[in-house]
Amino acid sequence: GDLQALLKPISIAVQDVTAFREKNRASKLFNHLSAISESIGAIGWVAVSPKPAPYCKQMAEASQFYGNRVLKDFKGTADGDKHTSWVRSFSQTLNEVEAFIKKYH
């Protein structure tokens, strides 16, 4: 119905993110892309019923798996701090989405 039509652009964007990751498997940032693509579904939380917060948490946990790989891969490198900051920031963003859902949904 109306919700599906409203969410169609989000669904397309999620598919695009996944396709971008798949096209860039050889990238040294593949684990970054995987962290994003594994959690991007969290933006569709409005379609999850009755309790979307656990769904969002699952997305964050899937992302964390790849975030941990990023931390491992770049530990001790010249750019390690940038990658650590990115992982923490992305994780915090997902945690804040979950907190928002819990507070307002």
Side-chain angles (χ1 to χ4, degrees):
D2 293 337
L3 183 59
Q4 282 184 325
L6 189 62
L7 294 177
K8 186 170 183 166
I10 292 173
S11 177
I12 291 168
V14 168
Q15 292 171 10
D16 289 347
V17 167
T18 301
F20 184 81
R21 175 185 93 165
E22 292 305 317
K23 289 178 191 170
N24 289 282
R25 285 190 162 272
S27 171
K28 71 176 190 170
L29 301 177
F30 180 72
N31 285 323
H32 297 71
L33 298 175
S34 295
I36 295 168
S37 72
E38 289 296 316
S39 61
I40 195 68
I43 64 172
W45 69 266
V46 295
V48 177
S49 183
K51 297 189 179 227
Y55 171 77
C56 188
K57 183 176 180 146
Q58 285 178 325
M59 298 287 102
E61 288 169 352
S63 175
Q64 186 177 15
F65 173 81
Y66 289 98
N68 288 340
R69 285 184 169 188
V70 170
L71 296 175
K72 180 179 137 296
D73 290 348
F74 289 92
K75 184 177 183 177
T77 67
D79 291 338
D81 289 346
K82 290 180 191 176
H83 296 278
T84 298
S85 178
W86 182 86
V87 169
R88 288 184 180 149
S89 295
F90 192 70
S91 178
Q92 183 63 31
T93 299
L94 294 171
N95 291 337
E96 289 180 17
V97 170
E98 181 186 359
F100 175 87
I101 294 166
K102 287 179 177 178
K103 184 173 182 178
Y104 295 106
H105 187 271

